[in-house]
Amino acid sequence: MRVLVTGAKGQLGTEVCAAYADTDLIPVDIDRVDLRDADAVHALIAEEARPDLVINTAAAHNVPECEKDPATAFAVNAAAVRLMAMACRACGARMVHISTDYVFGSGGTRPYVETDLPAPLNVYAASKLAGEFLLAAECPNHIILRTAALYGHAPCVAKGGRNFVQLMLHLAATRPEIRVVTDEITTPTYTRALAAQIRLVAERGEPGVYHATCNGECSWHDFAQAIFEETNTSANLLPATSADFPSPVKRPNYSVLCNKRLQDQGLDIMPHWREALREYVRVEKGVR
């Protein structure tokens, strides 16, 4: 099987490439092709590589920057997805596209399923939702996979290289106290577990929209507390609310996803978020 992965050097793309290491893998990043260039995208996918599967992990996902520069956000998260989808259709490839929990709005009280109505609150979310629609319109053999709150071993470029786990450990080592919000609820998702899930659904899933996060839910404060517990880190962790950190960007206060379609097809292999965190910490210790 020939597999092309975009965003191959990113936090998720790195793990997806590792999950497909036993295939004819074609890793693609910005240094190889600009996904906004229609001719370059068609030439790479439909003419040169002609893969069986394209997995798009590339995205403009710095949420504040997307708000400042909507044109770039939509060019990368929507228009580029359309170009890839057209190229996939031309060569008969299946396309898997990574989307986000942020397509849902405020006021949620129970985990969102795939058929719930999106209501994006910010430019990033709107651009990702537009990418979903464009992919579905251009490539029937597609999988849209919404996920949330990613962290992994590869650097997270959009967040200065540190994921949330690394940020909390850094703050614990450098600050007398740490304040983390209790009123934003999500599901932290480990990229290594997600990469394995992507491969399974890409190979066995029916076309359409899927949710794929770790199981369970927690506030960012709960996640920080778990990080300190799992790493035996002493930290003065204090509760806060989103109102304590004013931002021009609106974000959903509850964006938990239910992996319903995966469950319905017997394909849900995602661990509980706490179990995934424990595995992440174990692997990090092994790396050191």
Side-chain angles (χ1 to χ4, degrees):
M1 179 168 60
R2 173 167 283 196
V3 180
L4 187 149
V5 178
T6 63
K9 295 180 181 178
Q11 182 174 227
L12 177 58
T14 298
E15 294 290 358
V16 172
C17 287
Y20 280 95
D22 62 335
T23 69
D24 183 2
L25 178 66
I26 306 168
V28 173
D29 218 279
I30 190 64
D31 54 1
R32 178 165 181 178
V33 65
D34 183 347
L35 297 175
R36 299 167 295 182
D37 184 327
D39 292 338
V41 169
H42 183 83
L44 174 63
I45 296 176
E47 298 175 5
E48 299 169 20
R50 296 191 65 82
D52 303 296
L53 174 66
V54 171
I55 303 174
N56 179 38
T57 72
H61 57 88
N62 183 312
V63 178
E65 288 302 315
C66 287
E67 206 72 14
K68 295 176 185 176
D69 187 3
T72 296
F74 276 87
V76 174
N77 295 337
V81 176
R82 178 175 179 267
L83 297 178
M84 286 183 276
M86 293 168 65
C88 285
R89 186 184 67 211
C91 67
R94 164 168 276 199
M95 182 167 168
V96 176
H97 173 61
I98 308 304
S99 192
T100 175
D101 58 320
Y102 270 29
V103 299
F104 295 108
S106 60
T109 57
R110 51 101 179 137
Y112 291 99
V113 297
E114 291 85 351
T115 53
D116 283 327
L117 185 66
L121 297 176
N122 54 53
V123 170
Y124 165 70
S127 68
K128 292 295 286 185
L129 183 60
E132 292 186 13
F133 290 147
L134 290 170
L135 170 56
E138 297 290 354
C139 181
N141 189 9
H142 70 270
I143 286 178
I144 294 162
L145 195 151
R146 296 171 181 152
T147 191
L150 297 183
Y151 67 96
H153 304 288
C156 180
V157 177
K159 297 178 181 177
R162 291 193 181 102
N163 62 40
F164 186 80
V165 181
Q166 294 165 336
L167 175 61
M168 289 299 103
L169 295 176
H170 171 73
L171 294 179
T174 58
R175 293 190 181 181
E177 64 180 37
I178 305 165
R179 300 166 68 231
V180 181
V181 297
T182 60
D183 61 345
E184 290 183 8
I185 310 300
T186 186
T187 305
T189 299
Y190 179 28
T191 53
R192 185 160 297 182
L194 181 58
Q197 181 69 78
I198 289 170
R199 178 158 185 173
L200 181 61
V201 72
E203 294 177 359
R204 293 176 51 189
E206 301 170 356
V209 178
Y210 292 81
H211 291 171
T213 69
C214 286
N215 286 293
E217 62 183 64
C218 65
S219 69
W220 288 104
H221 184 277
D222 294 332
F223 188 35
Q225 183 63 51
I227 290 166
F228 298 139
E229 291 173 0
E230 294 294 342
T231 58
N232 295 313
T233 298
S234 177
N236 183 18
L237 177 64
L238 303 177
T241 68
S242 52
D244 296 322
F245 303 99
S247 171
V249 183
K250 293 182 179 179
R251 303 170 190 260
N253 59 356
Y254 184 94
S255 60
V256 178
L257 304 180
C258 173
N259 303 344
K260 187 176 187 302
R261 283 201 74 204
L262 290 176
Q263 294 164 4
D264 289 348
Q265 296 179 43
L267 299 177
D268 186 7
I269 59 171
M270 295 300 289
H272 189 273
W273 70 264
R274 185 75 184 239
E275 177 188 342
L277 173 61
R278 193 171 297 122
E279 175 64 10
Y280 168 87
V281 170
R282 185 192 68 77
V283 173
E284 282 286 291
K285 287 181 179 178
V287 170
R288 297 194 196 101

PDB file of all heavy atoms in Angstrom, residues 46-69:
ATOM      1  N   ALA A  46      -1.750  13.189  -8.035  1.00  0.00           N
ATOM      2  CA  ALA A  46      -2.427  12.502  -9.137  1.00  0.00           C
ATOM      3  C   ALA A  46      -1.486  11.979 -10.205  1.00  0.00           C
ATOM      4  O   ALA A  46      -1.834  11.043 -10.933  1.00  0.00           O
ATOM      5  CB  ALA A  46      -3.456  13.444  -9.770  1.00  0.00           C
ATOM      6  N   GLU A  47      -0.282  12.565 -10.324  1.00  0.00           N
ATOM      7  CA  GLU A  47       0.626  12.170 -11.404  1.00  0.00           C
ATOM      8  C   GLU A  47       1.870  11.448 -10.905  1.00  0.00           C
ATOM      9  O   GLU A  47       2.229  10.392 -11.433  1.00  0.00           O
ATOM     10  CB  GLU A  47       1.022  13.408 -12.210  1.00  0.00           C
ATOM     11  CG  GLU A  47      -0.159  14.090 -12.896  1.00  0.00           C
ATOM     12  CD  GLU A  47       0.221  15.386 -13.586  1.00  0.00           C
ATOM     13  OE1 GLU A  47       1.437  15.704 -13.612  1.00  0.00           O
ATOM     14  OE2 GLU A  47      -0.680  16.086 -14.081  1.00  0.00           O
ATOM     15  N   GLU A  48       2.544  11.988  -9.880  1.00  0.00           N
ATOM     16  CA  GLU A  48       3.813  11.401  -9.447  1.00  0.00           C
ATOM     17  C   GLU A  48       3.619  10.270  -8.433  1.00  0.00           C
ATOM     18  O   GLU A  48       4.022   9.129  -8.682  1.00  0.00           O
ATOM     19  CB  GLU A  48       4.710  12.494  -8.845  1.00  0.00           C
ATOM     20  CG  GLU A  48       5.081  13.609  -9.814  1.00  0.00           C
ATOM     21  CD  GLU A  48       5.725  14.778  -9.105  1.00  0.00           C
ATOM     22  OE1 GLU A  48       6.226  14.606  -7.960  1.00  0.00           O
ATOM     23  OE2 GLU A  48       5.731  15.887  -9.688  1.00  0.00           O
ATOM     24  N   ALA A  49       3.021  10.564  -7.307  1.00  0.00           N
ATOM     25  CA  ALA A  49       2.912   9.578  -6.222  1.00  0.00           C
ATOM     26  C   ALA A  49       1.833   8.532  -6.490  1.00  0.00           C
ATOM     27  O   ALA A  49       2.028   7.344  -6.237  1.00  0.00           O
ATOM     28  CB  ALA A  49       2.640  10.287  -4.898  1.00  0.00           C
ATOM     29  N   ARG A  50       0.688   8.961  -6.948  1.00  0.00           N
ATOM     30  CA  ARG A  50      -0.478   8.095  -7.184  1.00  0.00           C
ATOM     31  C   ARG A  50      -0.666   7.108  -6.017  1.00  0.00           C
ATOM     32  O   ARG A  50      -0.617   5.880  -6.201  1.00  0.00           O
ATOM     33  CB  ARG A  50      -0.337   7.349  -8.509  1.00  0.00           C
ATOM     34  CG  ARG A  50      -0.320   8.279  -9.718  1.00  0.00           C
ATOM     35  CD  ARG A  50      -0.461   7.527 -11.029  1.00  0.00           C
ATOM     36  NE  ARG A  50      -1.761   6.883 -11.140  1.00  0.00           N
ATOM     37  CZ  ARG A  50      -2.875   7.498 -11.531  1.00  0.00           C
ATOM     38  NH1 ARG A  50      -2.850   8.789 -11.844  1.00  0.00           N
ATOM     39  NH2 ARG A  50      -4.018   6.831 -11.613  1.00  0.00           N
ATOM     40  N   PRO A  51      -0.898   7.646  -4.813  1.00  0.00           N
ATOM     41  CA  PRO A  51      -1.032   6.787  -3.632  1.00  0.00           C
ATOM     42  C   PRO A  51      -2.392   6.096  -3.577  1.00  0.00           C
ATOM     43  O   PRO A  51      -3.339   6.493  -4.262  1.00  0.00           O
ATOM     44  CB  PRO A  51      -0.886   7.777  -2.477  1.00  0.00           C
ATOM     45  CG  PRO A  51      -1.450   9.050  -3.026  1.00  0.00           C
ATOM     46  CD  PRO A  51      -1.052   9.075  -4.477  1.00  0.00           C
ATOM     47  N   ASP A  52      -2.463   5.083  -2.745  1.00  0.00           N
ATOM     48  CA  ASP A  52      -3.747   4.447  -2.446  1.00  0.00           C
ATOM     49  C   ASP A  52      -4.505   5.242  -1.389  1.00  0.00           C
ATOM     50  O   ASP A  52      -5.734   5.209  -1.343  1.00  0.00           O
ATOM     51  CB  ASP A  52      -3.516   3.025  -1.918  1.00  0.00           C
ATOM     52  CG  ASP A  52      -2.733   2.176  -2.893  1.00  0.00           C
ATOM     53  OD1 ASP A  52      -3.250   1.925  -3.991  1.00  0.00           O
ATOM     54  OD2 ASP A  52      -1.595   1.788  -2.560  1.00  0.00           O
ATOM     55  N   LEU A  53      -3.737   5.938  -0.551  1.00  0.00           N
ATOM     56  CA  LEU A  53      -4.316   6.645   0.594  1.00  0.00           C
ATOM     57  C   LEU A  53      -3.556   7.935   0.840  1.00  0.00           C
ATOM     58  O   LEU A  53      -2.318   7.944   0.848  1.00  0.00           O
ATOM     59  CB  LEU A  53      -4.229   5.748   1.845  1.00  0.00           C
ATOM     60  CG  LEU A  53      -4.655   6.338   3.183  1.00  0.00           C
ATOM     61  CD1 LEU A  53      -6.149   6.642   3.181  1.00  0.00           C
ATOM     62  CD2 LEU A  53      -4.307   5.366   4.319  1.00  0.00           C
ATOM     63  N   VAL A  54      -4.279   9.021   1.052  1.00  0.00           N
ATOM     64  CA  VAL A  54      -3.695  10.309   1.467  1.00  0.00           C
ATOM     65  C   VAL A  54      -4.252  10.652   2.838  1.00  0.00           C
ATOM     66  O   VAL A  54      -5.478  10.629   3.040  1.00  0.00           O
ATOM     67  CB  VAL A  54      -4.030  11.430   0.464  1.00  0.00           C
ATOM     68  CG1 VAL A  54      -3.606  12.798   1.024  1.00  0.00           C
ATOM     69  CG2 VAL A  54      -3.346  11.172  -0.872  1.00  0.00           C
ATOM     70  N   ILE A  55      -3.364  10.944   3.776  1.00  0.00           N
ATOM     71  CA  ILE A  55      -3.777  11.356   5.121  1.00  0.00           C
ATOM     72  C   ILE A  55      -3.309  12.791   5.332  1.00  0.00           C
ATOM     73  O   ILE A  55      -2.101  13.069   5.351  1.00  0.00           O
ATOM     74  CB  ILE A  55      -3.195  10.436   6.202  1.00  0.00           C
ATOM     75  CG1 ILE A  55      -3.615   8.991   5.941  1.00  0.00           C
ATOM     76  CG2 ILE A  55      -3.649  10.889   7.596  1.00  0.00           C
ATOM     77  CD1 ILE A  55      -2.978   7.989   6.877  1.00  0.00           C
ATOM     78  N   ASN A  56      -4.255  13.697   5.468  1.00  0.00           N
ATOM     79  CA  ASN A  56      -3.927  15.113   5.599  1.00  0.00           C
ATOM     80  C   ASN A  56      -3.928  15.536   7.067  1.00  0.00           C
ATOM     81  O   ASN A  56      -4.988  15.720   7.673  1.00  0.00           O
ATOM     82  CB  ASN A  56      -4.922  15.972   4.824  1.00  0.00           C
ATOM     83  CG  ASN A  56      -4.618  17.451   4.971  1.00  0.00           C
ATOM     84  OD1 ASN A  56      -3.451  17.852   4.986  1.00  0.00           O
ATOM     85  ND2 ASN A  56      -5.642  18.264   5.113  1.00  0.00           N
ATOM     86  N   THR A  57      -2.737  15.697   7.627  1.00  0.00           N
ATOM     87  CA  THR A  57      -2.609  16.220   8.995  1.00  0.00           C
ATOM     88  C   THR A  57      -2.141  17.671   8.991  1.00  0.00           C
ATOM     89  O   THR A  57      -1.991  18.268  10.054  1.00  0.00           O
ATOM     90  CB  THR A  57      -1.617  15.378   9.820  1.00  0.00           C
ATOM     91  OG1 THR A  57      -0.273  15.623   9.368  1.00  0.00           O
ATOM     92  CG2 THR A  57      -1.919  13.896   9.716  1.00  0.00           C
ATOM     93  N   ALA A  58      -1.897  18.229   7.805  1.00  0.00           N
ATOM     94  CA  ALA A  58      -1.449  19.618   7.708  1.00  0.00           C
ATOM     95  C   ALA A  58      -2.591  20.566   8.034  1.00  0.00           C
ATOM     96  O   ALA A  58      -3.738  20.319   7.641  1.00  0.00           O
ATOM     97  CB  ALA A  58      -0.912  19.905   6.316  1.00  0.00           C
ATOM     98  N   ALA A  59      -2.284  21.642   8.726  1.00  0.00           N
ATOM     99  CA  ALA A  59      -3.333  22.610   9.077  1.00  0.00           C
ATOM    100  C   ALA A  59      -2.714  23.900   9.589  1.00  0.00           C
ATOM    101  O   ALA A  59      -1.589  23.905  10.113  1.00  0.00           O
ATOM    102  CB  ALA A  59      -4.256  22.037  10.149  1.00  0.00           C
ATOM    103  N   ALA A  60      -3.459  24.977   9.432  1.00  0.00           N
ATOM    104  CA  ALA A  60      -3.172  26.221  10.149  1.00  0.00           C
ATOM    105  C   ALA A  60      -3.987  26.144  11.433  1.00  0.00           C
ATOM    106  O   ALA A  60      -5.208  26.308  11.407  1.00  0.00           O
ATOM    107  CB  ALA A  60      -3.579  27.421   9.310  1.00  0.00           C
ATOM    108  N   HIS A  61      -3.339  25.825  12.555  1.00  0.00           N
ATOM    109  CA  HIS A  61      -4.099  25.558  13.775  1.00  0.00           C
ATOM    110  C   HIS A  61      -3.674  26.408  14.973  1.00  0.00           C
ATOM    111  O   HIS A  61      -4.031  26.103  16.111  1.00  0.00           O
ATOM    112  CB  HIS A  61      -4.048  24.062  14.137  1.00  0.00           C
ATOM    113  CG  HIS A  61      -2.667  23.515  14.299  1.00  0.00           C
ATOM    114  ND1 HIS A  61      -1.996  23.555  15.481  1.00  0.00           N
ATOM    115  CD2 HIS A  61      -1.862  22.901  13.416  1.00  0.00           C
ATOM    116  CE1 HIS A  61      -0.806  22.989  15.333  1.00  0.00           C
ATOM    117  NE2 HIS A  61      -0.699  22.594  14.083  1.00  0.00           N
ATOM    118  N   ASN A  62      -2.931  27.482  14.713  1.00  0.00           N
ATOM    119  CA  ASN A  62      -2.710  28.469  15.762  1.00  0.00           C
ATOM    120  C   ASN A  62      -3.959  29.349  15.794  1.00  0.00           C
ATOM    121  O   ASN A  62      -4.165  30.193  14.923  1.00  0.00           O
ATOM    122  CB  ASN A  62      -1.458  29.293  15.470  1.00  0.00           C
ATOM    123  CG  ASN A  62      -1.143  30.290  16.572  1.00  0.00           C
ATOM    124  OD1 ASN A  62      -2.019  31.021  17.022  1.00  0.00           O
ATOM    125  ND2 ASN A  62       0.101  30.317  16.998  1.00  0.00           N
ATOM    126  N   VAL A  63      -4.817  29.109  16.774  1.00  0.00           N
ATOM    127  CA  VAL A  63      -6.154  29.709  16.770  1.00  0.00           C
ATOM    128  C   VAL A  63      -6.109  31.240  16.765  1.00  0.00           C
ATOM    129  O   VAL A  63      -6.816  31.873  15.963  1.00  0.00           O
ATOM    130  CB  VAL A  63      -6.994  29.166  17.942  1.00  0.00           C
ATOM    131  CG1 VAL A  63      -8.367  29.825  17.982  1.00  0.00           C
ATOM    132  CG2 VAL A  63      -7.146  27.648  17.816  1.00  0.00           C
ATOM    133  N   PRO A  64      -5.314  31.901  17.611  1.00  0.00           N
ATOM    134  CA  PRO A  64      -5.264  33.369  17.545  1.00  0.00           C
ATOM    135  C   PRO A  64      -4.745  33.892  16.203  1.00  0.00           C
ATOM    136  O   PRO A  64      -5.239  34.900  15.697  1.00  0.00           O
ATOM    137  CB  PRO A  64      -4.313  33.739  18.691  1.00  0.00           C
ATOM    138  CG  PRO A  64      -4.397  32.586  19.637  1.00  0.00           C
ATOM    139  CD  PRO A  64      -4.545  31.388  18.771  1.00  0.00           C
ATOM    140  N   GLU A  65      -3.748  33.212  15.622  1.00  0.00           N
ATOM    141  CA  GLU A  65      -3.224  33.661  14.333  1.00  0.00           C
ATOM    142  C   GLU A  65      -4.262  33.503  13.232  1.00  0.00           C
ATOM    143  O   GLU A  65      -4.340  34.321  12.314  1.00  0.00           O
ATOM    144  CB  GLU A  65      -1.946  32.886  13.984  1.00  0.00           C
ATOM    145  CG  GLU A  65      -0.740  33.273  14.825  1.00  0.00           C
ATOM    146  CD  GLU A  65      -0.394  34.745  14.720  1.00  0.00           C
ATOM    147  OE1 GLU A  65      -0.389  35.288  13.584  1.00  0.00           O
ATOM    148  OE2 GLU A  65      -0.166  35.385  15.767  1.00  0.00           O
ATOM    149  N   CYS A  66      -5.052  32.436  13.289  1.00  0.00           N
ATOM    150  CA  CYS A  66      -6.129  32.265  12.310  1.00  0.00           C
ATOM    151  C   CYS A  66      -7.125  33.414  12.396  1.00  0.00           C
ATOM    152  O   CYS A  66      -7.636  33.888  11.372  1.00  0.00           O
ATOM    153  CB  CYS A  66      -6.850  30.940  12.548  1.00  0.00           C
ATOM    154  SG  CYS A  66      -5.900  29.469  12.055  1.00  0.00           S
ATOM    155  N   GLU A  67      -7.401  33.861  13.613  1.00  0.00           N
ATOM    156  CA  GLU A  67      -8.346  34.965  13.804  1.00  0.00           C
ATOM    157  C   GLU A  67      -7.810  36.249  13.178  1.00  0.00           C
ATOM    158  O   GLU A  67      -8.568  37.049  12.616  1.00  0.00           O
ATOM    159  CB  GLU A  67      -8.595  35.165  15.300  1.00  0.00           C
ATOM    160  CG  GLU A  67      -9.921  35.793  15.635  1.00  0.00           C
ATOM    161  CD  GLU A  67     -11.107  34.853  15.420  1.00  0.00           C
ATOM    162  OE1 GLU A  67     -10.908  33.621  15.269  1.00  0.00           O
ATOM    163  OE2 GLU A  67     -12.246  35.359  15.399  1.00  0.00           O
ATOM    164  N   LYS A  68      -6.486  36.431  13.260  1.00  0.00           N
ATOM    165  CA  LYS A  68      -5.859  37.627  12.692  1.00  0.00           C
ATOM    166  C   LYS A  68      -5.744  37.545  11.176  1.00  0.00           C
ATOM    167  O   LYS A  68      -5.740  38.574  10.491  1.00  0.00           O
ATOM    168  CB  LYS A  68      -4.464  37.816  13.289  1.00  0.00           C
ATOM    169  CG  LYS A  68      -4.440  38.104  14.773  1.00  0.00           C
ATOM    170  CD  LYS A  68      -2.993  38.170  15.253  1.00  0.00           C
ATOM    171  CE  LYS A  68      -2.903  38.327  16.764  1.00  0.00           C
ATOM    172  NZ  LYS A  68      -1.489  38.291  17.233  1.00  0.00           N
ATOM    173  N   ASP A  69      -5.619  36.337  10.644  1.00  0.00           N
ATOM    174  CA  ASP A  69      -5.351  36.151   9.220  1.00  0.00           C
ATOM    175  C   ASP A  69      -6.303  35.107   8.632  1.00  0.00           C
ATOM    176  O   ASP A  69      -5.903  33.978   8.328  1.00  0.00           O
ATOM    177  CB  ASP A  69      -3.889  35.725   9.024  1.00  0.00           C
ATOM    178  CG  ASP A  69      -3.480  35.664   7.566  1.00  0.00           C
ATOM    179  OD1 ASP A  69      -4.305  35.997   6.696  1.00  0.00           O
ATOM    180  OD2 ASP A  69      -2.318  35.272   7.298  1.00  0.00           O
TER     181      ASP A  69
END
